[in-house]
């Protein structure tokens, strides 16, 4: 059954012109719970569904009250609760520092290398993947609008790409024109810090610190902080990883904003990019404070849909334990960022769904088959973009239609003939059959690529509806800084609500919400250290 309202309609059909203009400027949400093709449900199932709905709606009301009480709380209280990220866009001192350093770095360096792992670099990767030219590093500085080349490292011990990066920078005479932004709140993240050690050795100068910008915690608990105290890093300052801001929630702190600002392209400045990001995050922040049932409070609606997919479907279908994050654009990093955001936050106490990133229509030729024909344990969250610049349009009168043709009637007959024709005759039958030809390309000539991408999304979503696959869509006006940052903040807020629906704020040692911790990685860290040191001792 498709559930729709002003906030949930799957298209703008039926809206007044004024409402359509409003939607053109806003991010909005729609969903189909996948029951349109289901058989009649028993009264017991219907009653169970209604009961769960009511239970979740009551819980959302209580959660909303708690978050509203937080609105007037001092920042120190949010830091203690690990929710200071909700005010990152309001930290004017940090933002001004980021903008100033970004402007200076663009003047003094030709290359930026981000050294980090997980939340320390995934937001920067999203920004690069979404906003910068897809062939950014191949452009001249002028064509890049004065932005430096950009590279990423520090997320693995595999030496291949790090060695290749340093070799390339040396060969091009750029090693000493490179700013290395090392990001680690504690300064003890081993993947990141071992990479920094190799880079420092490659720089081979006593003042290598002047090519390293450190983003870290501003207390002696951080190794990078202590190193800076002994010999200052670039800019004679540190960029802060603020208290109460976990890595996966740090995109709009200096962790992500510095990269966003320093890579501003043609027609942009570091300041204009930051303003756009802050505007998008600010809009999401305002919407989150609306009543939880308000049409523009998407975080609550999305958290509700995800939670009900897990709760209700257990009574009707196999448990929905997998979310396919289907970004309908040629960008992969947003999905990778959401995987970390969701799984590190929500998969606790044996609960929470897995997340698989996909992108359309690329993934239609791989994972889509499993969604439709495989186990019914999945729900799909689409991200649909109404505008995808640049505005490429298919040319007309290319003469391709005389070569790219398809005989529709023949295709239908060949389905039957395949059962009786020998394999070596099937191609001949298809080629030699007389009939009306359908010029495929002629039908598409003059269409924009964005229109075709939208049609591809709509076709996929309709097929899911027809096949009973539960899916939801987040529709954005365009792929720009404001819209993407608004989306990212909405997804963060969605995680906050979903965590409380699962009770991850209850009965915890120390009173901290499990949503904002990541204790699962600690075993890996301990075991890694043991194996690394043991192997080293054996080799001595």
């Amino acid at each position: 059954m498709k559930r729709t309202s002003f906030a949930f309609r799957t298209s703008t059909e039926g809206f007044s012109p004024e409402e359509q203009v409003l939607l053109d400027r806003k991010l909005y949400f729609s969903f189909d719970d996948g029951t349109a093709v289901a058989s009649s449900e028993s009264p017991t199932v219907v009653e169970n569904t209604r009961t769960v709905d009511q239970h979740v709606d009551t819980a959302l009301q209580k959660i909303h009250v708690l978050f509203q009480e937080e609105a007037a709380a001092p920042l120190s209280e949010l830091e203690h609760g690990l929710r200071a990220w909700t005010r990152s866009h309001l930290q004017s001192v940090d933002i001004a520092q980021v903008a100033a350093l970004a402007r200076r770095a663009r003047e003094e360096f030709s290359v930026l290398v981000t050294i980090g792992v997980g939340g320390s670099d995934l937001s920067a990767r999203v920004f690069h993947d979404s906003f910068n030219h897809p062939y950014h590093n191949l452009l001249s500085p002028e064509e890049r609008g004065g932005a430096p080349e950009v590279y990423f490292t520090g997320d693995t011990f595999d030496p291949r790409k790090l060695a290749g990066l340093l070799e390339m920078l040396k060969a091009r005479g750029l090693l000493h024109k490179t700013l290395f932004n090392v990001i680690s709140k504690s300064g003890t993240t081993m993947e990141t810090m071992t990479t920094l050690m190799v880079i420092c050795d490659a720089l081979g100068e006593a003042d290598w610190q002047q090519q390293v910008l450190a983003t870290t915690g501003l207390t002696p608990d951080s190794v990078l902080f202590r190193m800076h105290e002994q010999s200052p890093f670039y800019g004679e300052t540190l960029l802060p990883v603020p208290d109460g801001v976990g890595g996966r929630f740090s995109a709009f702190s200096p962790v992500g904003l510095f990269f966003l600002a320093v890579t501003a392209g043609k027609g942009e400045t570091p300041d204009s990019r930051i303003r756009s990001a802050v505007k998008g995050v600010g809009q999401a922040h305002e919407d989150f404070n609306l009543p939880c049932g308000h049409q523009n409070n998407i975080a609550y609606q999305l958290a509700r849909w995800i939670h009900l997919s897990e709760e209700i479907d257990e009574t009707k279908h196999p448990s929905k334990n997998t979310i396919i994050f289907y970004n309908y654009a040629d960008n992969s990093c947003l999905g990778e960022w959401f995987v970390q955001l969701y799984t590190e936050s929500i998969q606790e106490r044996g609960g929470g769904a897995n997340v698989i990133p996909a992108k359309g229509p690329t993934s239609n030729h791989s994972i889509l088959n499993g969604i439709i024909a495989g186990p019914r344990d999945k729900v799909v969250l689409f991200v649909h973009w109404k505008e995808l610049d640049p505005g490429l349009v298919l040319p007309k009168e290319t003469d391709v239609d005389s070569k790219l043709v398809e005989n529709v009637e023949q295709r239908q007959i060949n389905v039957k003939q395949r059962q009786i024709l020998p394999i070596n005759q099937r191609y001949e039958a298809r080629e030699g059959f007389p009939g009306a030809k359908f010029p495929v390309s002629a039908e598409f000539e003059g269409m924009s690529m964005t229109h075709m991408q939208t049609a591809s999304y709509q076709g996929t979503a309709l097929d899911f509806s027809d096949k009973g696959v539960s899916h939801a869509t987040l529709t954005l006006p365009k792929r720009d800084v404001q819209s993407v940052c608004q989306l990212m903040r909405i997804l963060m807020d969605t995680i906050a609500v979903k965590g409380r629906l699962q009770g991850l704020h209850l009965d915890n040692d120390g009173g901290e919400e499990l949503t904002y911790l990541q204790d699962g990685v600690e075993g890996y860290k301990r075991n890694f250290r043991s194996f690394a040191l043991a192997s080293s001792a054996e080799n001595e």
Side-chain angles (χ1 to χ4, degrees), residues 149-203:
E149 295 180 23
V150 294
Y151 301 95
F152 297 90
T153 188
D155 61 343
T156 180
F157 298 111
D158 185 338
R160 180 172 178 266
K161 288 187 177 179
L162 175 58
L165 174 63
L166 294 173
E167 179 183 3
M168 179 272 294
L169 292 175
K170 289 178 182 177
R172 296 174 59 203
L174 292 174
L175 182 60
H176 294 286
K177 298 178 182 178
T178 299
L179 178 64
F180 297 91
N181 181 202
V182 57
I183 307 171
S184 173
K185 186 168 188 175
S186 66
T188 61
T189 309
M190 289 307 299
E191 296 90 342
T192 300
M193 295 305 289
T194 53
T195 298
L196 179 62
M197 292 168 64
V198 172
I199 288 171
C200 293
D201 182 64
L203 291 174

Side-chain angles (χ1 to χ4, degrees), residues 454-520:
T454 294
S456 176
Y457 150 70
Q458 291 171 329
T460 306
L462 178 59
D463 193 39
F464 287 169
S465 294
D466 291 343
K467 301 298 195 311
V469 176
S470 181
H471 60 90
T473 300
L474 292 163
T475 299
L476 293 94
K478 58 177 61 177
R479 183 175 47 193
D480 60 9
V481 174
Q482 180 178 333
S483 297
V484 173
C485 291
Q486 181 183 0
L487 170 65
M488 292 171 72
R489 173 57 194 270
I490 286 173
L491 292 174
M492 293 178 190
D493 287 328
T494 299
I495 296 305
V497 176
K498 181 66 170 72
R500 292 201 174 183
L501 281 173
Q502 288 183 208
L504 300 184
H505 60 304
L506 303 174
D507 305 320
N508 302 322
D509 293 337
E512 295 178 321
E513 290 192 47
L514 293 180
T515 305
Y516 308 117
L517 305 180
Q518 57 176 116
D519 294 338

